[in-house]
Each structure stands twice: as structure tokens, then as C-alpha cells.
């Protein structure tokens, strides 16, 4: 175990940030923060046995959390191999390779951007009988820790690596990490070939310019690759039909709870079931980003346990996946609890959980159910449920059933968000109001009443067949972290667009002519303001017409050279 280094990133991250892509593990850190091996020690309990790369710095708090989150709860009884995911809060002050991540985030869909304050953990846990071990069982987890929410990719990778690792241990892990360090960076829009352990995974990194709900990736015709690549049609999507089987008739209500950022606990029989359900729910409002906290697998050892279970205040906006029966009592004051049994794929419609009152949530009542007093704003989509039931009867493949659910949820979210996008666009100042000699105009304030007045003619009823209280749903949405996150993101994008337009207008203006009639004080003021705008444009990576920034740089140098030498000296040293 390494010495803790609170509040700092690793040396390789700092080198990667400075642009040195040849430093050890620079490419590796584009994909993974580290790989951990967690084992069961008779004296210590769960303990980190190994971390790769060896120079990665995890704080003691992070290492402790990874230990507890990498093993199923003792109540789960997971024999054999189990895969699941967790999400972990990073220690305060940790640095990331900001410039590279900002570049990736600029082009990635908001739902797949890197996490600045959390790590994702992807776990492959093995528990098998072993008479050579004192406890009688071999218990070990291989964990990939990343800032990227590439659930399907990392679990697929673990399926290749973990069985081999459990046989050959450390040398195998070192080889795999070196292979990942040769991978190209995940650039949105590109199709990449990722070789590992004699297999080549072919993946396409989604881009924010992709059409939502577009076709899955098709294999590119490549003759030069031996062995032939294994195509992963997605890097992040889950089997939604498998996840939502017991709650198909409640999809509408669960979508609303997630959209509104309501506190929700998923009680499941295993970390695999809990983490898949939490991640499936969070993805249900895509392409809208879920801006609340979510924990696919949460334990009583988590550092946020007290924060989330205090009864002196309202529950926080978080979706928690838990397996320990202890939580039944702990979360009796929460407004929404979904209790699941083992999810079984069968030819008949799985037993649908019933909606029950929270007061019925008892420790001894082991029956699954949705314990809530929430009333949906919209009516159920009976056509969707009938279509899925018919699919079960006809033994339609799970992938097709999942595609039907994904399309339905996408259309539902788009019907909800399009009127908001349309209204937001109307708040943008006209392009002709952007002039070179004035600061750029500001985006008009968002008025909830003004927006609600637009719904009669441009509301969701134009694109959705669902009836219900759409107005009430919007009013509640305005009070949620998801609206706040969406609005801040759109407002930032619009403000940056105005800044870009302003720079282009300045570039097209006769700046040299303007300076001929101005005093030195006014000229220096213009130079300082232009410099500030250029620094800001480069820091924010504003999208401007080719050559604009270079032309303004040249103008600044030309004007400075026309000034007296003492002023030139002052300006050139700033």
C-alpha cells in the first residue's frame, strides 16, 4: 500500500497535463486512473493487495472506500464470479489532467463526460471454495478505476482479463496495463482498435454531434488486423430489458422520479443487480445529464453513510443501490424505495413489483415492491407495455427489447426537453446586436411563466402521445438539480457563442483605423482587453472561425510596435 498524498494528482497526470505524452502511463491514464487488486486478509479484512501503475497516488480514504466497495456484502452470498460497478467521491483537492479532459469533454455527449469529482469502479469478484485458505474460500476482486463512465467497455475488458489474472496474478496484470498504455486516446467520434491479451476490441467513442438514438456501430472492413477485431456495439449502454424486467409497468413513474432528481433507494439481492438498476435508471433520461449524485453500490462503510442517512434533514437528491438488509430500517424515512428480488430471464412476463405505501416497508417483509406515495404526472404508456409483453411471448431477443425501451425513453425525454431548448434559443440576442465596439450582449433571463405560456403552441403534446399533467411536471422539474445543471450548461454554451461571435466581429473591424484617432490610454486599454479576451478564448477553447485568434494576435503586436518604447516595454513584460 502506498503513502497517502492528499490533495494531489500523480506525477504521470501532471506530465500528461503539460503535454508530455511520452511519459510513463500517459496514454493509460486517458482510460484508467489505476487498476486495483482487493483481497480478503484474515487480520485486516478487505485490503488492497496491488495497485497499478505503482506511482498512482490514492488517498487513504479512497483506498479504504475502494476496499469496501469491491466486495459484495456478506448478505449477498455471491459464489463464483460476479461483476458490478460503483461510484466513489474523490478526495478534495485532487488534480486531474485538466487540459486533456476539457478537450475530451468539449466533444463528448454530456452523459459520457469525465467525472471531475468522482471515480467509477468496475469490479470482477471471484469467490470459490479453496481448502488451502484458512477461511475455506478464495476471495479476490480485480477493479478498474476510471473517470470515464464506459460501463460496457470496462466490464467486457474485465471478462477478458480477470479469469487469466486469477490464474497468473501480477505478471499478467503488468502486461495488460502496458498494453492499455499503447492504446490511442478516447477521441469522440473515432472508431478505435484496442488490443489486449490477444484480442482486439473495436469501439466507437460517441460524440455529442451524434444523432441521439442512432444506429449501433457496424464493423469496419479492415484487412490488416490479425486477429480480426471483436466489435463492441456500445461502450456504455446496458441491457435495459434485463434491468427493467420486474418494473416494466412502472417505467413511466421511475422516469419521472429520475427526471425530478427525487431521493431513491434501490434495495437489491446483490451488487450486480443494484448497480445495473441504478445505472439503467440514471441513463433513462439521456440525452439529459443526470445532475444529482448516484451510487450504483453503497455500503454502511461508505464515508458518506452518515451524510445520507441522517434523519435531522430531508434526504439528499441521490440514487443509492444497496444490498444490506440493515438499510431497510435506515431508509424508512426516505420518500421512494424500490425493493428488488433476483432478476431472472424467462419466457413469461416476470412478476411485476407492486406499488406499496412506505409504511409497509418492514424489515421482515421480504417481498419486492415500489414503496412510495408518489403520483405520476403522466399516464402509463399502455402501447409500450403491450409491445414488450408481445416480445416476451414471441421470445424476441433481449437486445431488441432493450432497443424498444431505449427508443421510448429517448422520445419521452426529447418531448420534454425540446420545448425548453426552443424557449432557451429564443433568449439568445440577435447576431446583428453583436458589435465590435461594445461588450457582447447577454442572454436574456429565463422566465418560468413566459416558458409555461409557450407550451400551448409548442409543448410536448406535439411530439408525445402521452396525456397527463405536463405543466405540473415542468413546475417540479424547475426545482430539481437536473434543471439547474441543464440550464447552467446551456447558458454557458450560449454565452461562449456570443463571445465567439464578438471575437469574429472584432477581427473583421478596422481596428488600425480606430487606433489612429485614439489616445495612448485608450489604445493600451484596448490591447489589455483584447489580450484578456484571447486568453479566455484559448482557455475555454472557444469555437471561432479559422485564423481569427492569430489575426488578433498579429494586430496586438503591430499596435504595440507603434507605441513609444517605454509603453512597449511595459506591455511586453505583462
Amino acid at each position: 500500500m502506498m503513502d497517502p498524498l492528499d490533495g494531489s494528482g500523480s506525477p504521470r497526470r501532471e506530465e500528461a497535463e503539460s503535454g508530455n505524452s511520452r511519459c510513463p502511463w500517459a496514454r493509460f491514464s486517458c482510460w484508467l486512473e489505476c487498476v486495483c487488486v482487493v483481497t480478503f486478509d484474515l487480520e485486516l479484512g478487505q485490503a488492497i493487495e496491488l495497485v497499478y501503475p505503482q506511482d498512482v497516488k490514492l488517498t487513504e480514504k479512497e483506498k479504504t472506500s475502494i476496499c469496501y466497495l469491491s466486495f459484495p456484502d456478506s448478505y449477498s452470498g455471491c459464489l463464483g464470479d460476479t461483476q458490478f460497478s460503483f461510484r466513489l467521491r474523490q478526495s478534495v483537492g485532487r488534480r486531474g489532467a485538466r487540459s486533456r479532459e476539457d478537450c475530451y469533454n468539449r466533444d463528448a455527449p454530456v452523459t459520457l463526460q469525465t467525472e471531475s469529482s468522482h471515480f467509477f469502479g468496475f469490479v470482477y469478484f471471484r469467490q470459490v471454495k479453496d481448502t488451502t485458505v484458512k477461511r475455506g474460500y478464495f476471495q479476490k476482486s480485480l477493479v478498474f478505476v476510471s473517470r470515464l463512465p464506459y460501463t460496457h467497455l470496462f466490464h467486457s475488458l474485465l471478462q477478458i482479463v480477470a479469469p487469466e489474472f486469477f490464474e497468473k496474478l501480477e505478471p499478467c496484470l503488468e502486461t495488460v496495463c502496458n498494453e492499455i498504455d499503447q492504446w490511442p486516446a478516447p477521441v469522440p467520434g473515432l472508431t478505435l482498435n484496442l488490443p489486449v491479451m490477444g484480442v482486439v476490441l473495436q469501439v466507437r467513442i460517441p460524440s455529442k454531434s451524434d444523432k441521439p438514438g442512432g444506429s449501433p456501430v457496424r464493423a469496419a472492413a479492415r484487412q490488416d488486423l490479425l486477429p480480426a477485431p471483436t466489435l463492441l456495439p456500445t461502450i456504455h449502454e446496458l441491457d435495459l430489458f434485463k434491468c427493467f424486467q420486474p418494473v416494466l409497468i412502472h417505467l413511466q413513474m421511475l422516469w419521472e422520479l429520475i427526471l425530478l432528481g427525487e431521493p431513491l433507494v434501490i434495495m437489491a439481492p446483490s451488487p450486480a443487480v443494484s448497480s445495473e438498476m441504478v445505472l439503467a435508471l440514471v441513463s433513462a433520461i439521456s440525452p439529459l445529464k443526470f445532475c444529482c449524485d448516484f451510487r450504483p453500490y453503497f455500503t454502511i462503510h461508505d464515508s458518506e453513510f452518515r451524510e445520507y442517512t441522517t434523519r435531522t434533514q430531508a434526504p439528499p437528491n441521490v440514487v443509492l443501490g444497496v444490498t444490506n438488509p440493515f438499510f431497510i430500517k435506515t431508509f424508512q424515512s426516505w420518500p421512494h424505495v424500490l425493493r428488488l428480488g433476483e432478476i431472472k430471464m424467462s419466457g413469461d412476463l416476470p412478476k411485476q413489483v407492486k406499488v406499496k405505501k412506505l409504511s409497509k416497508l418492514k424489515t421482515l417483509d421480504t417481498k419486492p415492491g415500489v414503496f412510495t406515495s408518489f403520483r405520476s404526472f403522466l399516464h402509463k404508456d399502455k402501447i409500450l407495455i403491450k409491445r414488450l409483453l408481445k416480445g416476451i411471448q414471441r421470445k424476441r431477443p433481449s437486445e431488441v427489447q432493450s432497443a424498444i425501451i431505449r427508443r421510448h425513453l429517448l422520445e419521452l425525454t426529447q418531448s420534454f426537453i425540446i420545448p425548453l431548448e426552443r424557449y432557451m434559443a429564443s433568449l439568445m440576442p440577435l447576431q446583428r446586436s453583436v458589435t465590435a465596439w461594445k461588450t457582447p450582449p447577454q442572454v436574456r433571463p429565463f422566465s418560468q411563466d413566459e416558458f409555461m405560456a409557450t407550451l400551448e403552441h409548442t409543448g410536448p403534446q406535439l411530439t408525445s402521445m402521452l396525456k397527463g399533467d405536463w405543466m405540473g411536471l415542468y413546475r417540479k422539474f424547475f426545482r430539481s438539480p437536473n434543471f439547474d445543471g441543464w440550464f447552467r450548461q446551456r447558458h454557458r454554451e450560449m454565452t461562449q457563442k456570443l463571445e465567439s461571435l464578438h471575437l469574429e466581429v472584432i477581427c473583421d473591424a478596422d481596428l488600425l483605423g480606430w487606433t489612429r484617432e485614439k489616445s495612448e490610454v485608450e489604445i493600451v486599454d484596448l490591447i489589455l482587453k483584447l489580450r484578456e479576451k484571447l486568453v479566455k478564448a484559448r482557455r475555454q477553447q472557444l469555437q471561432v472561425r479559422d485564423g481569427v485568434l492569430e489575426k488578433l494576435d498579429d494586430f496586438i503586436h503591430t499596435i504595440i510596435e507603434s507605441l513609444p518604447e517605454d509603453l512597449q516595454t511595459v506591455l511586453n513584460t505583462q
Side-chain angles (χ1 to χ4, degrees):
M1 303 257 290
M2 295 168 207
D3 294 332
L5 186 69
D6 286 295
S8 174
S10 64
R12 64 195 168 86
R13 272 202 166 272
E14 286 163 22
E15 288 218 32
E17 187 174 354
S18 66
N20 184 1
S21 62
R22 293 185 180 181
C23 76
W25 308 110
R27 285 184 170 187
F28 178 93
S29 64
C30 291
W31 294 92
L32 294 172
E33 185 69 19
C34 62
V35 177
C36 299
V37 178
V38 181
T39 191
F40 193 89
D41 184 288
L42 274 175
E43 293 178 8
L44 302 174
Q46 280 129 258
I48 289 187
E49 183 180 286
L50 209 62
V51 178
Y52 259 93
Q54 290 167 347
D55 72 338
V56 74
K57 298 294 189 293
L58 293 172
T59 65
E60 286 301 322
K61 189 176 179 181
E62 288 166 347
K63 285 188 277 192
T64 302
S65 294
I66 288 170
C67 283
Y68 283 118
L69 289 167
S70 298
F71 268 44
D73 197 284
S74 56
Y75 292 95
S76 303
C78 296
L79 269 176
D81 292 357
T82 305
Q83 285 190 260
F84 57 94
S85 313
F86 63 79
R87 186 167 173 265
L88 151 77
R89 190 182 289 177
Q90 294 174 22
S91 293
V92 176
R94 172 179 284 282
R95 288 180 59 196
R98 294 270 23 114
S99 57
R100 189 184 64 231
E101 287 174 4
D102 287 346
C103 193
Y104 165 83
N105 284 346
R106 187 189 65 207
D107 300 321
V110 290
T111 53
L112 288 182
Q113 290 175 351
T114 55
E115 290 271 2
S116 58
S117 56
H118 290 81
F119 289 133
F120 288 98
F122 305 95
V123 182
Y124 194 108
F125 169 73
R126 174 168 289 183
Q127 177 170 270
V128 289
K129 286 188 176 181
D130 186 345
T131 52
T132 65
V133 181
K134 273 189 178 180
R135 283 169 61 92
Y137 286 95
F138 171 93
Q139 292 175 304
K140 209 178 280 282
S141 284
L142 182 61
V143 188
F144 288 168
V145 180
S146 177
R147 295 167 192 263
L148 294 164
Y150 292 174
T151 308
H152 188 69
L153 171 63
F154 289 130
H155 279 311
S156 300
L157 192 59
L158 278 165
Q159 284 166 15
I160 297 167
V161 174
E164 191 86 358
F165 163 74
F166 289 131
E167 295 296 322
K168 299 178 181 173
L169 302 178
E170 192 171 342
C172 165
L173 197 57
E174 190 170 2
T175 303
V176 167
C177 291
N178 279 310
E179 283 188 294
I180 295 173
D181 194 40
Q182 301 303 309
W183 288 3
V187 178
L190 292 190
T191 297
L192 307 176
N193 292 297
L194 311 175
V196 63
M197 297 186 77
V199 178
V200 177
L201 296 175
Q202 187 175 90
V203 300
R204 183 182 180 278
I205 308 300
S207 163
K208 74 174 181 185
S209 59
D210 295 345
K211 184 183 174 187
S215 301
V217 180
R218 300 190 187 282
R222 293 290 297 267
Q223 306 299 322
D224 57 335
L225 274 171
L226 290 172
T230 300
L231 176 72
L232 285 190
T234 174
I235 59 170
H236 64 288
E237 290 175 348
L238 296 148
D239 184 341
L240 292 186
F241 179 62
K242 178 188 165 192
C243 297
F244 290 145
Q245 264 200 105
V247 292
L248 287 176
I249 62 173
H250 305 304
L251 264 185
Q252 177 61 50
M253 178 175 71
L254 291 168
W255 176 83
E256 288 183 25
L257 288 174
I258 295 299
L259 179 75
L260 301 173
E262 287 285 311
L264 175 62
V265 176
I266 311 299
M267 292 182 175
S270 70
V273 174
S274 95
S275 62
E276 286 199 343
M277 180 59 90
V278 171
L279 292 171
L281 285 170
V282 165
S283 74
I285 60 169
S286 180
L288 198 63
K289 184 181 174 71
F290 185 72
C291 296
C292 310
D293 197 359
F294 62 97
R295 303 302 172 92
Y297 177 47
F298 186 75
T299 75
I300 57 173
H301 303 289
D302 202 289
S303 56
E304 280 84 56
F305 175 73
R306 283 190 179 177
E307 178 186 330
Y308 289 157
T309 56
T310 176
R311 300 200 179 191
T312 57
Q313 58 195 51
N317 301 91
V318 61
V319 180
L320 297 178
V322 303
T323 60
N324 191 327
F326 168 81
F327 282 112
I328 296 171
K329 192 173 182 182
T330 310
F331 288 123
Q332 277 183 335
S333 61
W334 275 49
H336 321 288
V337 177
L338 170 57
R339 194 163 184 186
L340 298 168
E342 279 292 348
I343 293 179
K344 299 179 179 72
M345 297 293 273
S346 62
D348 302 318
L349 174 66
K351 193 173 181 182
Q352 299 292 285
V353 302
K354 293 179 179 177
V355 175
K356 304 177 182 181
K357 290 181 179 177
L358 270 166
S359 57
K360 295 267 179 83
L361 182 64
K362 297 284 190 293
T363 310
L364 298 174
D365 176 15
T366 55
K367 289 181 182 176
V370 186
F371 297 86
T372 180
S373 56
F374 181 78
R375 288 184 175 275
S376 297
F377 288 89
L378 307 180
H379 303 158
K380 285 179 184 174
D381 191 327
K382 292 179 181 174
I383 297 170
L384 170 78
I385 295 165
K386 283 179 183 174
R387 193 177 173 197
L388 293 169
L389 290 181
K390 195 172 282 186
I392 292 170
Q393 290 161 3
R394 293 179 177 177
K395 294 184 168 48
R396 189 185 286 149
S398 185
E399 298 82 18
V400 181
Q401 294 278 76
S402 286
I404 291 169
I405 294 171
R406 189 169 284 110
R407 166 61 61 182
H408 167 78
L409 293 170
L410 173 66
E411 288 174 354
L412 188 55
T413 305
Q414 286 182 320
S415 291
F416 183 81
I417 210 74
I418 284 169
L420 282 163
E421 293 280 2
R422 191 181 287 121
Y423 172 70
M424 196 73 190
S426 74
L427 304 179
M428 184 78 165
L430 296 173
Q431 194 163 334
R432 64 170 180 265
S433 66
V434 182
T435 64
W437 315 116
K438 291 181 181 176
T439 54
Q442 293 187 332
V443 178
R444 283 200 305 115
F446 189 104
S447 164
Q448 292 181 19
D449 292 337
E450 196 175 84
F451 165 73
M452 296 299 248
T454 68
L455 292 179
E456 188 179 345
H457 301 293
T458 63
Q461 71 278 3
L462 299 180
T463 51
S464 176
M465 301 291 288
L466 281 189
K467 305 293 183 189
D469 184 10
W470 286 97
M471 304 273 273
L473 187 60
Y474 280 114
R475 284 194 187 95
K476 189 143 192 186
F477 178 68
F478 289 141
R479 300 197 294 273
S480 77
N482 288 332
F483 169 71
D484 188 58
W486 171 83
F487 175 75
R488 285 172 185 271
Q489 173 76 15
R490 294 293 291 116
H491 193 276
R492 182 164 56 248
E493 289 169 357
M494 290 165 72
T495 302
Q496 289 180 354
K497 177 65 177 170
L498 287 168
E499 290 285 352
S500 299
L501 287 171
H502 194 227
L503 278 170
E504 291 176 6
V505 169
I506 291 171
C507 181
D508 295 336
D510 180 12
L511 292 173
L512 282 171
W514 181 86
T515 58
R516 290 190 195 105
E517 302 170 8
K518 301 298 176 184
S519 66
E520 284 180 1
V521 172
E522 290 172 303
I523 292 169
V524 169
D525 187 50
L526 174 68
I527 289 168
L528 294 176
K529 282 180 178 173
L530 279 179
R531 272 185 173 170
E532 189 183 335
K533 286 184 81 70
L534 286 173
V535 168
K536 190 177 177 183
R538 289 188 170 112
R539 188 177 64 244
Q540 294 181 345
Q541 299 176 326
L542 293 185
Q543 306 289 303
V544 291
R545 198 172 65 231
D546 284 348
V548 166
L549 302 185
E550 293 76 11
K551 187 176 175 183
L552 289 174
D553 264 333
D554 292 342
F555 165 75
I556 289 171
H557 289 304
T558 304
I559 294 299
I560 287 176
E561 285 171 5
S562 69
L563 294 171
E565 280 189 21
D566 57 337
L567 268 180
Q568 285 187 42
T569 305
V570 172
L571 289 168
N572 285 328
T573 54
Q574 285 186 337

